[in-house]
Amino acid sequence: MASDPDDPPAPFRYTVFMDMDYTYHYPSQRAPVMARNIVTTSHPLAAQAGLSMLDKGGTAADAAVATAMALTVLEPTSNGIGSDAFALVWAGGGLHGLSANGRAPAGLDRSRYAASGDIPTLGWDGVIVPGAVSGWVALAREFGRLPLTTLAEPAIRYAREGSLVPPEIAYYWNRAADIYGRARRQHEALLAPWFETFTSGGKAPRVGSVARLPDHATTLEAIAATDGQAFYRGDLAEKIDAAARAGGSSLRSSDLAAHQPDWVRPISINYKGWKLHEIPPSGQGIAALMALGIVRLFDLAMLDPDSPNALHIVIEAMKLAFADAHQHIADPDFMQVRPADLLDETYLASRARLIDPNRAQDFGHGEPKTGGTVLLAAADAEGMMVSFIQSNYTGFGSGVVVPGTGIALHNRGCNFSLEAGHVNEVGPGKRPYHTIIPGFVTRTRADGSDEPLMAFGVMGGFMQPQGHVQVLLRMADHRMNPQSALDAPRWQVEKGLRVTIEPGFDAGVYEGLRALGHDLHIHDKPNAAFGRGQSIVRVDGGYIAGCDPRCDGQAVGF
């Protein structure tokens, strides 16, 4: 059972406080957290799991892995054991990129999508090889000190003994139960394992109730004891294979056995001395780099960051970046344009000249899809800094849970294109366009070398590069601290001229953007649709961290 709200573990019993109102009636302010060792993420217990590894003598990499494993239990609404993952790691005087994303099954038959207008998010059609487990192993092996069995201890404990569910996660857990509940009549065999794993009697946990995920505990124990081999070449791989065959998928244990994470060279662009680094394609981080390369040709620092004119320029730059991203980003083995060509100064200048400062335009950037993700950042007193991200893509992912394991499989295959001949066209053995992107910022020293400045990110589907740009501009141009930059209201480019935006700007800002031609849609409150960011900035003697108020999390340190 996922939860049992009527029988919490002794000696605790629920009281009237379960009926508290969890909406926020007044503006509140989070203060940045300052410490020599620090972890920040979207669930407080997961951040503390990582911090406990630093207290045991582990590195920031150990803290990141422990936090990531704990998040699969504590926040299954956005990630899981069947996720993909990426990391940017400052260690040994340089920045290292880790891509732990899977490929489509080798036996995939492209014709299965012939009658589809899109790859469905529910079911096996969007399931490809999960890479997160391999990422945990690779990161801990390369930069950690503690064994995986130690790093898994907090996650296993919370899975077996339970944890209290916070408000935001409870909301998305119940929303998923409602969505899957409506689909269950048509997809009983597919969704029954999800309900057995994540609900109690078909009901998702309420705010403050205890959620237990015993199957997760057993699976994480097997993964930790075998350094991930059980997942890719052992008993768990066979269970995934059996479930895939029963569900009509071409995913096989041989696909899992063939999977390897990749250490990659990050790509970057310099914005006024702030050098933003991203994982290269098939990730969409290059869209953030392109947008920055375009807006640096405008003197935004002279404008109020919350003015219509400043926002307009960045919105238009983001549209142009997405137009190129959706045209060219794919598995790097299939791309026809090099990342360096998209980041070429002459090319970016030509794109910048397309922006009309007085009028919004549709640059054919397409319609971004939604997604759910967790991001964490960790830093230790020895100077190692990590930005780590993992995701099941749409909430719990595909809705497919491998029976008896707690493994909710992601649906990253939904980001393939069905357009014949497109570089990102779905095909066997290919990696899809990937939305999740960790971010990292360095500063350039006088001698030309880089020094670490910030491990950060803003999670959430196609909001992510937009969030990277908005947070970095507020810090680089206006010297905002990391918490304030995360607190600020945000906007999101959607299809055509449509832009969604949060409350919190002055009324004149919305009027000004509409006067410039933007089809503006204002949300009633700040929310996770606009990303949930984390940030750790290096300062003399330690770090300053922020945690997005749109999530349940916090930054913790010592």
Side-chain angles (χ1 to χ4, degrees):
M1 294 290 183
S3 64
D4 189 351
D6 297 320
D7 187 23
F12 299 105
R13 293 290 171 188
Y14 292 124
T15 69
V16 70
F17 294 108
M18 279 295 293
D19 297 323
M20 284 193 296
D21 180 1
Y22 288 97
T23 58
Y24 299 96
H25 297 275
Y26 308 102
S28 63
Q29 175 180 309
R30 292 189 178 195
V33 174
M34 305 180 189
R36 291 188 174 90
N37 298 274
I38 208 156
V39 181
T40 180
T41 196
S42 50
H43 195 297
L45 299 183
Q48 292 165 28
L51 197 68
S52 71
M53 299 302 144
L54 293 171
D55 195 40
K56 292 177 185 289
T59 67
D62 290 316
V65 173
T67 301
M69 296 178 84
L71 282 166
T72 67
V73 174
L74 297 166
E75 193 175 341
T77 52
S78 299
N79 79 123
I81 302 170
S83 286
D84 274 351
F86 297 84
L88 288 167
V89 184
W90 181 273
L95 189 64
H96 313 266
L98 176 62
S99 292
N101 58 320
R103 297 174 181 267
L108 178 71
D109 183 358
R110 169 68 171 81
S111 66
R112 72 181 292 151
Y113 305 113
S116 302
D118 208 352
I119 299 173
T121 57
L122 181 65
W124 283 97
D125 283 344
V127 175
I128 62 175
V129 174
V133 171
S134 71
W136 303 340
V137 174
L139 183 56
R141 185 176 291 162
E142 187 71 21
F143 294 112
R145 295 194 189 112
L146 304 176
L148 202 62
T149 48
T150 299
L151 304 182
E153 286 174 358
I156 293 167
R157 183 175 68 252
Y158 287 126
R160 187 157 285 136
E161 297 177 5
S163 63
L164 276 68
V165 180
E168 280 290 309
I169 294 170
Y171 167 79
Y172 286 104
W173 206 323
N174 279 269
R175 189 178 75 163
D178 289 342
I179 293 170
Y180 290 159
R182 292 193 294 272
R184 190 173 185 180
R185 184 172 297 177
Q186 278 186 287
H187 304 281
E188 175 61 32
L190 170 71
L191 290 170
W194 186 89
F195 279 93
E196 291 167 5
T197 302
F198 292 110
T199 72
S200 176
K203 295 183 179 180
R206 298 172 293 169
V207 178
S209 64
V210 175
R212 302 181 187 85
L213 301 172
D215 289 345
H216 284 60
T218 303
T219 291
L220 289 167
E221 284 173 336
I223 289 169
T226 63
D227 271 350
Q229 290 301 302
F231 191 89
Y232 293 104
R233 293 175 178 82
D235 180 59
L236 293 172
E238 293 304 321
K239 289 181 178 179
I240 294 171
D241 184 298
R245 290 175 189 269
S249 169
S250 56
L251 183 66
R252 297 291 179 263
S253 58
S254 57
D255 296 309
L256 294 162
H259 170 76
Q260 292 291 335
D262 298 318
W263 288 100
V264 298
R265 183 183 297 276
I267 56 177
S268 63
I269 203 164
N270 194 307
Y271 181 82
K272 301 180 181 179
W274 291 58
K275 193 173 182 181
L276 175 62
H277 302 261
E278 302 279 357
I279 294 288
S282 60
Q284 65 172 343
I286 194 170
L289 302 181
M290 293 180 68
L292 278 179
I294 292 170
V295 300
R296 71 184 176 187
L297 299 171
F298 299 84
D299 195 0
L300 292 184
M302 298 299 292
L303 300 174
D304 181 334
D306 296 332
S307 68
N309 291 337
L311 296 175
H312 169 73
I313 295 298
V314 186
I315 288 169
E316 297 297 283
M318 201 70 247
K319 291 179 189 175
L320 286 165
F322 271 139
D324 280 335
H326 293 156
Q327 181 66 29
H328 300 298
I329 291 177
D331 184 321
D333 293 338
F334 292 83
M335 284 182 64
Q336 297 172 3
V337 175
R338 298 181 307 156
D341 295 331
L342 294 174
L343 297 175
D344 177 75
E345 288 189 18
T346 301
Y347 177 70
L348 292 176
S350 72
R351 300 299 274 169
R353 286 194 292 272
L354 297 177
I355 294 177
D356 182 345
N358 301 309
R359 198 68 190 166
Q361 300 177 73
D362 180 358
F363 296 112
H365 52 279
E367 184 172 7
K369 302 175 183 178
T370 58
T373 306
V374 294
L375 181 127
L376 65 98
D380 63 38
E382 296 176 35
M384 185 182 295
M385 300 175 69
V386 180
S387 176
F388 187 100
I389 195 165
Q390 68 185 21
S391 169
N392 268 8
Y393 187 42
T394 57
F396 280 88
S398 61
V400 176
V401 175
V402 180
T405 67
I407 299 171
L409 293 168
H410 72 61
N411 50 1
R412 281 291 160 187
C414 295
N415 273 328
F416 279 119
S417 172
L418 293 180
E419 179 185 338
H422 195 286
V423 291
N424 188 42
E425 182 183 7
V426 65
K430 290 181 70 173
R431 291 166 287 192
Y433 180 115
H434 221 294
T435 59
I436 62 173
I437 51 172
F440 203 95
V441 177
T442 60
R443 296 294 298 270
T444 303
R445 298 187 181 99
D447 63 5
S449 63
D450 288 338
E451 60 180 357
L453 178 62
M454 179 168 64
F456 85 117
V458 177
M459 55 196 117
F462 289 89
M463 179 63 208
Q464 293 177 66
Q466 306 186 62
H468 284 204
V469 169
Q470 292 176 62
V471 169
L472 188 141
L473 288 175
R474 289 181 180 279
M475 297 181 71
D477 283 340
H478 303 283
R479 297 300 184 261
M480 293 187 187
N481 72 67
Q483 186 61 59
S484 183
L486 292 171
D487 288 345
R490 294 199 276 261
W491 49 263
Q492 182 171 189
V493 165
E494 295 194 354
K495 185 178 182 179
L497 299 179
R498 180 183 170 99
V499 177
T500 57
I501 194 166
E502 291 183 301
F505 294 100
D506 289 339
V509 171
Y510 306 112
E511 295 170 5
L513 287 172
R514 287 191 172 119
L516 289 165
H518 296 282
D519 178 17
L520 208 64
H521 294 258
I522 307 170
H523 276 238
D524 59 348
K525 62 180 180 179
N527 64 81
F530 294 89
R532 301 177 302 153
Q534 315 296 333
S535 177
I536 298 177
V537 176
R538 186 172 181 175
V539 295
D540 288 343
Y543 306 95
I544 301 175
C547 181
D548 203 302
R550 299 165 185 83
C551 68
D552 295 307
Q554 63 181 186
V556 295
F558 66 85

